[in-house]
Amino acid sequence: MNLADVTVQPGRYILAVSGGVDSMVLLNLLHEQPGVQLTIAHFDHGIRQDSSDDRRFVASAAQFYGLPFVYHRAELGPEASEDQARRARYQFLHKVRQAASADAIITAHHQDDVLETAILNMLRGTGRRGLSSLLNTSSIIRPMLAVPKIDIVRHANNHDLLWHEDSTNQDVRYARNHVRHNVVPRLSSLERARFIDIVNNNQRINFQLDQELIHHLHYQDQAHTINRRWFSSLPHNVAREVLAMWLREHGIRDFDSRTLERLTVHAKTQAAGKRANIRGQYWLKVHGDHLALLTA
């Protein structure tokens, strides 16, 4: 994919800008696109002591392009995990989107991010969806997913763009940085192309499987219940996928494979009246003939 082909549909968007080369290039590509209204959103994790420099840099860029700018500083601290940082960032972005009545959030994820995320998720054992987790959705648009990082850096240099390099990006103690610096660069061009084909094919298969799961869930008697006899008759791995889709259909997405395994076993084996916590206020309750989703 050529960077000249990176566009979005006309509309109002929240563009996530960290100050790194990826988001600065995307800002440069989209700021004059006809019919596109951008609000620049910057999230300061509060992990690095010099992170306020990034915020000032992005604020200056927004002023240069004549675009609205919003930011939030969290105090996650240097011990915060990558997952904590990601969740906090997206929570902020979705709040900004809602406040601005924007159509969607735009992020600068690119092809190297796709590879890194697929490798990390395989190592974490996240299942079939982990291999193709970086996708465009109705609320998050990632227009550079087919663009290699090397092309982004080349564009920035050719157009004399400035960016800030996050010093923690070089710290290979972080799993993503280890994959970024020690694994992905060792892929040959052929291996990289094959890996991308696998990810894309897996994405198509996942879409078909998800549609089939949704179809079966729509045959349940009530939206917040699953027929327990039918569920218990399913092969264990299929039951896990059904339960995962059921939770996602009700807006519950932050669960891991261990939680899913625990809930599946609970649903199949526990006596009527027993309930298991999913996370926070959400509970799975077992009845004699059905499973129910409850909120505390």
Tab-separated table of all heavy atoms in Angstrom, residues 145-195:
chain	number	residue	atom	x	y	z
A	145	LEU	N	-2.663	0.205	8.241
A	145	LEU	CA	-2.356	-1.175	8.607
A	145	LEU	C	-1.573	-1.929	7.524
A	145	LEU	O	-0.892	-2.898	7.831
A	145	LEU	CB	-3.645	-1.935	8.929
A	145	LEU	CG	-4.331	-1.574	10.252
A	145	LEU	CD1	-5.598	-2.395	10.432
A	145	LEU	CD2	-3.380	-1.786	11.441
A	146	ALA	N	-1.679	-1.500	6.294
A	146	ALA	CA	-0.963	-2.181	5.209
A	146	ALA	C	0.351	-1.493	4.860
A	146	ALA	O	1.024	-1.894	3.906
A	146	ALA	CB	-1.855	-2.254	3.968
A	147	VAL	N	0.736	-0.487	5.647
A	147	VAL	CA	1.942	0.287	5.350
A	147	VAL	C	3.096	-0.145	6.258
A	147	VAL	O	2.977	-0.081	7.480
A	147	VAL	CB	1.693	1.797	5.541
A	147	VAL	CG1	2.959	2.587	5.225
A	147	VAL	CG2	0.536	2.265	4.665
A	148	PRO	N	4.231	-0.577	5.699
A	148	PRO	CA	5.390	-0.944	6.530
A	148	PRO	C	5.982	0.288	7.211
A	148	PRO	O	5.927	1.403	6.681
A	148	PRO	CB	6.383	-1.532	5.520
A	148	PRO	CG	5.576	-1.850	4.309
A	148	PRO	CD	4.459	-0.858	4.275
A	149	LYS	N	6.572	0.074	8.374
A	149	LYS	CA	7.193	1.165	9.133
A	149	LYS	C	8.261	1.886	8.316
A	149	LYS	O	8.381	3.116	8.375
A	149	LYS	CB	7.828	0.584	10.407
A	149	LYS	CG	8.631	1.565	11.229
A	149	LYS	CD	7.763	2.369	12.143
A	149	LYS	CE	8.586	3.178	13.135
A	149	LYS	NZ	7.772	3.760	14.206
A	150	ILE	N	9.006	1.152	7.536
A	150	ILE	CA	10.101	1.760	6.780
A	150	ILE	C	9.585	2.826	5.819
A	150	ILE	O	10.238	3.856	5.592
A	150	ILE	CB	10.910	0.675	6.031
A	150	ILE	CG1	12.186	1.275	5.450
A	150	ILE	CG2	10.079	0.000	4.951
A	150	ILE	CD1	13.122	0.231	4.856
A	151	ASP	N	8.386	2.615	5.265
A	151	ASP	CA	7.796	3.605	4.356
A	151	ASP	C	7.346	4.850	5.108
A	151	ASP	O	7.392	5.966	4.568
A	151	ASP	CB	6.609	2.991	3.614
A	151	ASP	CG	7.023	1.932	2.606
A	151	ASP	OD1	8.243	1.799	2.370
A	151	ASP	OD2	6.142	1.233	2.075
A	152	ILE	N	6.902	4.660	6.337
A	152	ILE	CA	6.469	5.796	7.152
A	152	ILE	C	7.662	6.688	7.485
A	152	ILE	O	7.600	7.917	7.358
A	152	ILE	CB	5.775	5.293	8.440
A	152	ILE	CG1	4.474	4.572	8.078
A	152	ILE	CG2	5.515	6.437	9.403
A	152	ILE	CD1	3.817	3.876	9.243
A	153	VAL	N	8.758	6.078	7.909
A	153	VAL	CA	9.964	6.843	8.228
A	153	VAL	C	10.502	7.540	6.980
A	153	VAL	O	10.940	8.700	7.039
A	153	VAL	CB	11.037	5.923	8.841
A	153	VAL	CG1	12.337	6.689	9.065
A	153	VAL	CG2	10.543	5.336	10.157
A	154	ARG	N	10.464	6.847	5.845
A	154	ARG	CA	10.937	7.452	4.594
A	154	ARG	C	10.099	8.688	4.240
A	154	ARG	O	10.638	9.734	3.843
A	154	ARG	CB	10.881	6.432	3.461
A	154	ARG	CG	11.454	6.957	2.142
A	154	ARG	CD	11.319	5.947	1.021
A	154	ARG	NE	12.099	4.748	1.296
A	154	ARG	CZ	11.576	3.532	1.482
A	154	ARG	NH1	10.257	3.361	1.423
A	154	ARG	NH2	12.352	2.504	1.719
A	155	HIS	N	8.791	8.574	4.402
A	155	HIS	CA	7.911	9.714	4.117
A	155	HIS	C	8.242	10.888	5.039
A	155	HIS	O	8.302	12.048	4.588
A	155	HIS	CB	6.441	9.301	4.312
A	155	HIS	CG	5.467	10.421	4.111
A	155	HIS	ND1	4.853	10.660	2.911
A	155	HIS	CD2	4.994	11.376	4.978
A	155	HIS	CE1	4.047	11.705	3.027
A	155	HIS	NE2	4.110	12.155	4.273
A	156	ALA	N	8.456	10.603	6.319
A	156	ALA	CA	8.766	11.668	7.273
A	156	ALA	C	10.062	12.381	6.889
A	156	ALA	O	10.144	13.623	6.924
A	156	ALA	CB	8.881	11.081	8.681
A	157	ASN	N	11.063	11.620	6.501
A	157	ASN	CA	12.339	12.226	6.116
A	157	ASN	C	12.231	13.012	4.815
A	157	ASN	O	12.791	14.103	4.684
A	157	ASN	CB	13.416	11.150	5.993
A	157	ASN	CG	13.836	10.581	7.340
A	157	ASN	OD1	13.866	11.296	8.334
A	157	ASN	ND2	14.162	9.291	7.379
A	158	ASN	N	11.488	12.453	3.855
A	158	ASN	CA	11.335	13.126	2.564
A	158	ASN	C	10.559	14.435	2.669
A	158	ASN	O	10.723	15.334	1.839
A	158	ASN	CB	10.638	12.205	1.564
A	158	ASN	CG	11.523	11.056	1.116
A	158	ASN	OD1	12.744	11.082	1.300
A	158	ASN	ND2	10.918	10.032	0.536
A	159	HIS	N	9.690	14.532	3.687
A	159	HIS	CA	8.868	15.736	3.852
A	159	HIS	C	9.341	16.588	5.020
A	159	HIS	O	8.617	17.494	5.471
A	159	HIS	CB	7.405	15.347	4.023
A	159	HIS	CG	6.788	14.768	2.789
A	159	HIS	ND1	6.978	13.448	2.412
A	159	HIS	CD2	5.992	15.316	1.831
A	159	HIS	CE1	6.324	13.223	1.287
A	159	HIS	NE2	5.719	14.330	0.917
A	160	ASP	N	10.531	16.301	5.524
A	160	ASP	CA	11.141	17.089	6.600
A	160	ASP	C	10.230	17.221	7.814
A	160	ASP	O	10.135	18.294	8.435
A	160	ASP	CB	11.526	18.488	6.093
A	160	ASP	CG	12.590	18.440	4.999
A	160	ASP	OD1	13.518	17.610	5.119
A	160	ASP	OD2	12.495	19.216	4.035
A	161	LEU	N	9.547	16.145	8.146
A	161	LEU	CA	8.675	16.154	9.318
A	161	LEU	C	9.495	15.915	10.583
A	161	LEU	O	10.485	15.184	10.576
A	161	LEU	CB	7.601	15.072	9.198
A	161	LEU	CG	6.638	15.175	8.012
A	161	LEU	CD1	5.622	14.041	8.064
A	161	LEU	CD2	5.934	16.524	7.988
A	162	LEU	N	9.062	16.528	11.660
A	162	LEU	CA	9.702	16.336	12.952
A	162	LEU	C	8.866	15.382	13.789
A	162	LEU	O	7.638	15.314	13.647
A	162	LEU	CB	9.851	17.676	13.682
A	162	LEU	CG	10.687	18.754	12.978
A	162	LEU	CD1	10.662	20.035	13.803
A	162	LEU	CD2	12.113	18.283	12.746
A	163	TRP	N	9.528	14.643	14.679
A	163	TRP	CA	8.799	13.776	15.597
A	163	TRP	C	9.631	13.579	16.859
A	163	TRP	O	10.820	13.899	16.897
A	163	TRP	CB	8.461	12.442	14.947
A	163	TRP	CG	9.615	11.535	14.655
A	163	TRP	CD1	10.174	10.610	15.491
A	163	TRP	CD2	10.367	11.449	13.434
A	163	TRP	NE1	11.212	9.943	14.883
A	163	TRP	CE2	11.354	10.436	13.616
A	163	TRP	CE3	10.303	12.120	12.207
A	163	TRP	CZ2	12.251	10.102	12.614
A	163	TRP	CZ3	11.199	11.781	11.217
A	163	TRP	CH2	12.157	10.790	11.421
A	164	HIS	N	8.977	13.061	17.898
A	164	HIS	CA	9.664	12.744	19.152
A	164	HIS	C	9.778	11.235	19.281
A	164	HIS	O	8.785	10.524	19.109
A	164	HIS	CB	8.872	13.296	20.343
A	164	HIS	CG	9.252	14.693	20.704
A	164	HIS	ND1	9.009	15.239	21.934
A	164	HIS	CD2	9.880	15.669	19.988
A	164	HIS	CE1	9.451	16.483	21.965
A	164	HIS	NE2	9.970	16.774	20.793
A	165	GLU	N	10.959	10.767	19.601
A	165	GLU	CA	11.179	9.337	19.806
A	165	GLU	C	11.039	9.022	21.286
A	165	GLU	O	11.747	9.594	22.116
A	165	GLU	CB	12.571	8.935	19.320
A	165	GLU	CG	12.779	7.452	19.173
A	165	GLU	CD	11.942	6.846	18.064
A	165	GLU	OE1	11.891	7.435	16.964
A	165	GLU	OE2	11.322	5.784	18.315
A	166	ASP	N	10.089	8.134	21.620
A	166	ASP	CA	9.888	7.715	23.009
A	166	ASP	C	11.095	6.890	23.452
A	166	ASP	O	11.391	5.848	22.859
A	166	ASP	CB	8.599	6.889	23.102
A	166	ASP	CG	8.220	6.513	24.530
A	166	ASP	OD1	9.117	6.523	25.401
A	166	ASP	OD2	7.046	6.195	24.764
A	167	SER	N	11.776	7.348	24.500
A	167	SER	CA	12.988	6.652	24.946
A	167	SER	C	12.717	5.230	25.403
A	167	SER	O	13.593	4.353	25.301
A	167	SER	CB	13.645	7.441	26.089
A	167	SER	OG	12.739	7.608	27.176
A	168	THR	N	11.505	4.963	25.875
A	168	THR	CA	11.194	3.607	26.344
A	168	THR	C	11.051	2.625	25.193
A	168	THR	O	11.048	1.408	25.419
A	168	THR	CB	9.896	3.596	27.185
A	168	THR	OG1	8.792	4.014	26.367
A	168	THR	CG2	10.019	4.518	28.383
A	169	ASN	N	10.931	3.128	23.959
A	169	ASN	CA	10.804	2.233	22.808
A	169	ASN	C	12.062	1.407	22.577
A	169	ASN	O	12.038	0.420	21.835
A	169	ASN	CB	10.497	3.032	21.540
A	169	ASN	CG	9.062	3.518	21.501
A	169	ASN	OD1	8.210	3.018	22.238
A	169	ASN	ND2	8.793	4.506	20.658
A	170	GLN	N	13.173	1.803	23.190
A	170	GLN	CA	14.424	1.067	23.029
A	170	GLN	C	14.650	0.052	24.147
A	170	GLN	O	15.617	-0.714	24.100
A	170	GLN	CB	15.597	2.052	22.984
A	170	GLN	CG	15.489	3.101	21.883
A	170	GLN	CD	15.366	2.498	20.503
A	170	GLN	OE1	16.084	1.550	20.171
A	170	GLN	NE2	14.459	3.027	19.693
A	171	ASP	N	13.777	0.062	25.146
A	171	ASP	CA	13.948	-0.797	26.310
A	171	ASP	C	13.387	-2.189	26.015
A	171	ASP	O	12.174	-2.401	26.029
A	171	ASP	CB	13.235	-0.187	27.518
A	171	ASP	CG	13.537	-0.916	28.823
A	171	ASP	OD1	14.092	-2.038	28.761
A	171	ASP	OD2	13.206	-0.378	29.893
A	172	VAL	N	14.263	-3.153	25.745
A	172	VAL	CA	13.829	-4.486	25.334
A	172	VAL	C	13.322	-5.324	26.507
A	172	VAL	O	12.961	-6.492	26.327
A	172	VAL	CB	14.944	-5.239	24.588
A	172	VAL	CG1	15.252	-4.564	23.268
A	172	VAL	CG2	16.194	-5.353	25.456
A	173	ARG	N	13.285	-4.735	27.711
A	173	ARG	CA	12.642	-5.440	28.815
A	173	ARG	C	11.133	-5.509	28.603
A	173	ARG	O	10.456	-6.384	29.140
A	173	ARG	CB	12.961	-4.747	30.146
A	173	ARG	CG	14.417	-4.878	30.586
A	173	ARG	CD	14.667	-4.099	31.846
A	173	ARG	NE	14.426	-2.662	31.641
A	173	ARG	CZ	14.504	-1.745	32.600
A	173	ARG	NH1	14.822	-2.119	33.837
A	173	ARG	NH2	14.289	-0.472	32.342
A	174	TYR	N	10.599	-4.570	27.814
A	174	TYR	CA	9.193	-4.637	27.427
A	174	TYR	C	9.058	-5.674	26.315
A	174	TYR	O	9.834	-5.674	25.350
A	174	TYR	CB	8.698	-3.281	26.926
A	174	TYR	CG	8.612	-2.216	27.994
A	174	TYR	CD1	9.587	-1.234	28.104
A	174	TYR	CD2	7.545	-2.186	28.893
A	174	TYR	CE1	9.511	-0.249	29.083
A	174	TYR	CE2	7.465	-1.204	29.872
A	174	TYR	CZ	8.446	-0.243	29.967
A	174	TYR	OH	8.362	0.713	30.928
A	175	ALA	N	8.056	-6.530	26.437
A	175	ALA	CA	7.891	-7.627	25.475
A	175	ALA	C	7.750	-7.110	24.049
A	175	ALA	O	8.342	-7.665	23.115
A	175	ALA	CB	6.685	-8.473	25.863
A	176	ARG	N	6.952	-6.053	23.863
A	176	ARG	CA	6.761	-5.550	22.501
A	176	ARG	C	8.061	-5.034	21.918
A	176	ARG	O	8.350	-5.262	20.729
A	176	ARG	CB	5.689	-4.451	22.479
A	176	ARG	CG	5.445	-3.875	21.067
A	176	ARG	CD	4.274	-2.924	21.038
A	176	ARG	NE	3.014	-3.616	21.267
A	176	ARG	CZ	2.311	-4.225	20.319
A	176	ARG	NH1	2.762	-4.259	19.067
A	176	ARG	NH2	1.166	-4.809	20.606
A	177	ASN	N	8.839	-4.351	22.708
A	177	ASN	CA	10.111	-3.839	22.200
A	177	ASN	C	11.069	-4.963	21.844
A	177	ASN	O	11.836	-4.872	20.878
A	177	ASN	CB	10.760	-2.917	23.232
A	177	ASN	CG	10.024	-1.592	23.363
A	177	ASN	OD1	9.233	-1.224	22.506
A	177	ASN	ND2	10.284	-0.890	24.456
A	178	HIS	N	11.043	-6.048	22.625
A	178	HIS	CA	11.879	-7.213	22.303
A	178	HIS	C	11.490	-7.778	20.937
A	178	HIS	O	12.364	-8.062	20.102
A	178	HIS	CB	11.723	-8.285	23.380
A	178	HIS	CG	12.356	-9.596	23.017
A	178	HIS	ND1	13.725	-9.774	22.923
A	178	HIS	CD2	11.787	-10.796	22.685
A	178	HIS	CE1	13.980	-11.007	22.554
A	178	HIS	NE2	12.834	-11.650	22.411
A	179	VAL	N	10.177	-7.930	20.721
A	179	VAL	CA	9.705	-8.438	19.431
A	179	VAL	C	10.054	-7.454	18.315
A	179	VAL	O	10.489	-7.843	17.223
A	179	VAL	CB	8.183	-8.696	19.482
A	179	VAL	CG1	7.639	-9.020	18.090
A	179	VAL	CG2	7.870	-9.840	20.449
A	180	ARG	N	9.879	-6.163	18.598
A	180	ARG	CA	10.120	-5.127	17.587
A	180	ARG	C	11.583	-5.085	17.148
A	180	ARG	O	11.868	-4.946	15.951
A	180	ARG	CB	9.713	-3.765	18.149
A	180	ARG	CG	9.992	-2.570	17.236
A	180	ARG	CD	9.423	-1.309	17.858
A	180	ARG	NE	7.978	-1.429	17.998
A	180	ARG	CZ	7.230	-0.687	18.829
A	180	ARG	NH1	7.816	0.205	19.612
A	180	ARG	NH2	5.936	-0.866	18.884
A	181	HIS	N	12.497	-5.215	18.084
A	181	HIS	CA	13.921	-5.032	17.768
A	181	HIS	C	14.661	-6.336	17.492
A	181	HIS	O	15.666	-6.331	16.772
A	181	HIS	CB	14.618	-4.299	18.912
A	181	HIS	CG	14.131	-2.900	19.120
A	181	HIS	ND1	14.300	-1.900	18.184
A	181	HIS	CD2	13.438	-2.332	20.156
A	181	HIS	CE1	13.769	-0.774	18.634
A	181	HIS	NE2	13.233	-1.012	19.823
A	182	ASN	N	14.165	-7.441	18.039
A	182	ASN	CA	14.921	-8.687	17.953
A	182	ASN	C	14.250	-9.793	17.140
A	182	ASN	O	14.909	-10.795	16.829
A	182	ASN	CB	15.216	-9.225	19.360
A	182	ASN	CG	16.044	-8.263	20.184
A	182	ASN	OD1	16.900	-7.558	19.653
A	182	ASN	ND2	15.800	-8.222	21.492
A	183	VAL	N	12.964	-9.637	16.832
A	183	VAL	CA	12.254	-10.701	16.119
A	183	VAL	C	11.839	-10.254	14.722
A	183	VAL	O	12.259	-10.839	13.711
A	183	VAL	CB	11.023	-11.179	16.917
A	183	VAL	CG1	10.284	-12.276	16.136
A	183	VAL	CG2	11.432	-11.693	18.295
A	184	VAL	N	11.024	-9.212	14.638
A	184	VAL	CA	10.501	-8.774	13.338
A	184	VAL	C	11.612	-8.406	12.353
A	184	VAL	O	11.543	-8.795	11.165
A	184	VAL	CB	9.513	-7.589	13.521
A	184	VAL	CG1	9.122	-6.998	12.167
A	184	VAL	CG2	8.274	-8.052	14.272
A	185	PRO	N	12.679	-7.710	12.760
A	185	PRO	CA	13.727	-7.367	11.784
A	185	PRO	C	14.435	-8.573	11.187
A	185	PRO	O	15.085	-8.457	10.134
A	185	PRO	CB	14.707	-6.515	12.611
A	185	PRO	CG	13.908	-5.986	13.740
A	185	PRO	CD	12.939	-7.074	14.068
A	186	ARG	N	14.343	-9.720	11.854
A	186	ARG	CA	15.034	-10.914	11.356
A	186	ARG	C	14.202	-11.676	10.323
A	186	ARG	O	14.684	-12.655	9.746
A	186	ARG	CB	15.384	-11.834	12.530
A	186	ARG	CG	16.372	-11.197	13.501
A	186	ARG	CD	16.865	-12.159	14.548
A	186	ARG	NE	17.825	-11.521	15.461
A	186	ARG	CZ	18.518	-12.140	16.386
A	186	ARG	NH1	18.378	-13.447	16.543
A	186	ARG	NH2	19.353	-11.485	17.160
A	187	LEU	N	12.974	-11.241	10.111
A	187	LEU	CA	12.147	-11.866	9.080
A	187	LEU	C	12.649	-11.442	7.709
A	187	LEU	O	12.887	-10.258	7.459
A	187	LEU	CB	10.687	-11.458	9.236
A	187	LEU	CG	9.954	-11.891	10.509
A	187	LEU	CD1	8.549	-11.262	10.548
A	187	LEU	CD2	9.845	-13.409	10.579
A	188	SER	N	12.792	-12.399	6.822
A	188	SER	CA	13.147	-12.048	5.448
A	188	SER	C	11.924	-11.439	4.771
A	188	SER	O	10.804	-11.509	5.294
A	188	SER	CB	13.590	-13.296	4.686
A	188	SER	OG	12.493	-14.181	4.507
A	189	SER	N	12.126	-10.853	3.609
A	189	SER	CA	11.000	-10.256	2.875
A	189	SER	C	9.935	-11.300	2.573
A	189	SER	O	8.733	-11.039	2.678
A	189	SER	CB	11.499	-9.626	1.568
A	189	SER	OG	12.398	-8.581	1.840
A	190	LEU	N	10.380	-12.506	2.213
A	190	LEU	CA	9.440	-13.579	1.909
A	190	LEU	C	8.696	-14.018	3.166
A	190	LEU	O	7.472	-14.229	3.140
A	190	LEU	CB	10.191	-14.761	1.294
A	190	LEU	CG	9.336	-15.983	0.910
A	190	LEU	CD1	8.258	-15.578	-0.096
A	190	LEU	CD2	10.216	-17.092	0.346
A	191	GLU	N	9.428	-14.173	4.272
A	191	GLU	CA	8.791	-14.588	5.525
A	191	GLU	C	7.786	-13.541	6.003
A	191	GLU	O	6.699	-13.876	6.479
A	191	GLU	CB	9.855	-14.806	6.602
A	191	GLU	CG	10.709	-16.042	6.369
A	191	GLU	CD	11.900	-16.094	7.301
A	191	GLU	OE1	12.350	-15.026	7.780
A	191	GLU	OE2	12.403	-17.211	7.538
A	192	ARG	N	8.152	-12.282	5.852
A	192	ARG	CA	7.249	-11.202	6.243
A	192	ARG	C	5.961	-11.255	5.413
A	192	ARG	O	4.855	-11.132	5.944
A	192	ARG	CB	7.951	-9.859	6.079
A	192	ARG	CG	7.125	-8.656	6.525
A	192	ARG	CD	7.863	-7.358	6.220
A	192	ARG	NE	7.063	-6.228	6.621
A	192	ARG	CZ	7.287	-5.482	7.695
A	192	ARG	NH1	8.301	-5.745	8.487
A	192	ARG	NH2	6.499	-4.455	7.974
A	193	ALA	N	6.104	-11.410	4.106
A	193	ALA	CA	4.942	-11.462	3.225
A	193	ALA	C	4.050	-12.659	3.561
A	193	ALA	O	2.814	-12.549	3.566
A	193	ALA	CB	5.391	-11.529	1.767
A	194	ARG	N	4.671	-13.806	3.849
A	194	ARG	CA	3.897	-14.994	4.205
A	194	ARG	C	3.154	-14.791	5.525
A	194	ARG	O	1.989	-15.192	5.679
A	194	ARG	CB	4.821	-16.204	4.312
A	194	ARG	CG	5.283	-16.743	2.959
A	194	ARG	CD	6.263	-17.898	3.138
A	194	ARG	NE	6.627	-18.507	1.856
A	194	ARG	CZ	7.569	-19.414	1.708
A	194	ARG	NH1	8.262	-19.831	2.778
A	194	ARG	NH2	7.834	-19.934	0.526
A	195	PHE	N	3.827	-14.148	6.470
A	195	PHE	CA	3.213	-13.890	7.774
A	195	PHE	C	1.993	-12.980	7.604
A	195	PHE	O	0.931	-13.207	8.188
A	195	PHE	CB	4.241	-13.248	8.707
A	195	PHE	CG	3.907	-13.386	10.168
A	195	PHE	CD1	4.901	-13.216	11.120
A	195	PHE	CD2	2.625	-13.678	10.611
A	195	PHE	CE1	4.625	-13.341	12.471
A	195	PHE	CE2	2.336	-13.805	11.966
A	195	PHE	CZ	3.325	-13.627	12.893
